[in-house]
């Protein structure tokens, strides 16, 4: 088995030790850090997302796979920086003002980072101004809003409006998600996209940035 196959399988199995061992060995054998990332780690997390969507993997499997991938990524990061390899884009995520639920948001952050994007996680109870100001300061292309409570969903609309007022809506895209959130609501408030789950959010980020 090649190093990239071992890393791929290790991520799928959530085997952190296998991932770090194979990553270290691959680098020692002269494999470029970018090749390990793009040919083993990102495809592995894409497969984890697919298995999650078809209910073969659940949240625990998603989390241990992400932990394994992050362990390997920590080894690669200094080399990726040194060789000037940039992330595919930057995404600001957070749970909206008034809402303290973060499980869904955390899963989205995992899958988006696993797809090769830099994630700036603002945590919970995030104001519209904080989303917008951070996205501008960090040069992010996408803002991801999460809500679990129907009572906090209006903060999503307020964030879209704050971005409109900044004159950057369209240049910075907004995607929304969470248990009570729908595509219909996304259309109503002028968001650029809606994702039903974490794997869908990773695909949506790719569409919004490439589009």
């Amino acid at each position: 088995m090649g190093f990239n196959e071992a890393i791929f399988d290790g991520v799928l199995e959530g085997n952190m030790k296998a991932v770090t061992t194979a990553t270290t060995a691959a680098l020692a054998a002269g494999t470029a850090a970018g090749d390990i990332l793009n040919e083993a780690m990102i495809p592995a997390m894409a497969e984890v997302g697919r298995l999650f969507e078809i209910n073969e993997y659940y949240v625990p499997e998603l989390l241990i796979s992400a932990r394994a991938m992050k362990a390997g990524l920590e080894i690669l990061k200094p080399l990726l920086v040194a060789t000037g390899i940039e992330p595919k884009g930057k995404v600001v995520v957070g749970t909206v003002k008034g809402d303290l639920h973060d499980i869904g948001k955390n899963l989205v952050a995992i899958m988006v980072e696993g797809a090769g994007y830099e994630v700036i996680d603002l945590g919970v109870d995030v104001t519209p101004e904080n989303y917008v100001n951070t996205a501008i300061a960090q040069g992010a292309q996408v803002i991801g809003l999460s809500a679990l409570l129907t009572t906090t969903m209006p903060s999503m609309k307020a964030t879209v409006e704050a971005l409109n007022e900044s004159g950057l809506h369209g240049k910075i895209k907004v995607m929304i998600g969470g248990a009570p959130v729908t595509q219909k609501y996304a259309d109503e408030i002028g968001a650029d996209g809606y994702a039903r789950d974490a794997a869908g959010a990773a695909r949506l980020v790719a569409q919004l940035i490439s589009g």
Side-chain angles (χ1 to χ4, degrees):
M1 181 186 294
F3 296 126
N4 280 356
E5 287 177 299
I7 294 165
F8 184 97
D9 290 346
V11 171
L12 278 190
E13 295 161 6
N15 188 332
M16 189 189 302
K17 184 176 180 181
V19 172
T20 56
T21 299
T23 300
T24 302
L27 291 170
T31 307
D35 290 343
I36 297 171
L37 177 67
N38 292 316
E39 296 173 17
M41 291 185 180
I42 290 175
M45 284 305 292
E47 177 63 6
V48 169
R50 187 188 73 81
L51 293 169
F52 180 70
E53 285 193 309
I54 63 175
N55 297 321
E56 286 192 23
Y57 272 22
Y58 297 94
V59 170
E61 289 85 0
L62 190 65
L63 291 174
I64 63 169
S65 287
R67 184 181 64 177
M69 190 256 191
K70 282 191 171 185
L73 191 57
E74 287 304 311
I75 297 170
L76 296 184
K77 272 183 178 176
L79 298 169
L80 294 171
V81 171
T83 53
I85 295 176
E86 298 287 337
K88 296 179 182 178
K90 290 187 181 181
V91 182
V92 174
V93 300
T95 304
V96 297
K97 183 171 174 55
D99 204 321
L100 302 179
H101 297 88
D102 67 354
I103 293 175
K105 180 266 297 175
N106 292 345
L107 293 175
V108 167
I110 285 167
M111 293 306 297
V112 171
E113 185 176 30
Y117 299 89
E118 181 179 340
V119 174
I120 300 103
D121 188 344
L122 297 179
V124 299
D125 194 23
V126 183
T127 65
E129 294 75 22
N130 194 1
Y131 281 117
V132 173
N133 291 340
T134 301
I136 293 170
Q138 294 288 334
Q141 294 93 347
V142 178
I143 297 172
L145 311 177
S146 176
L148 187 66
L149 305 174
T150 55
T151 53
T152 61
M153 285 169 60
S155 188
M156 291 180 161
K157 181 179 180 182
T159 303
V160 173
E161 290 171 347
L163 191 58
N164 285 336
E165 289 169 8
S166 75
L168 291 172
H169 193 196
K171 294 180 180 177
I172 300 173
K173 307 291 180 64
V174 178
M175 67 178 193
I176 66 173
V181 181
T182 62
Q183 181 64 57
K184 183 173 181 287
Y185 186 68
D187 295 338
E188 286 175 1
I189 67 171
D192 299 288
Y194 156 77
R196 185 178 64 86
D197 56 32
R203 284 198 308 274
L204 181 57
V205 165
Q207 292 167 11
L208 292 175
I209 290 179
S210 65

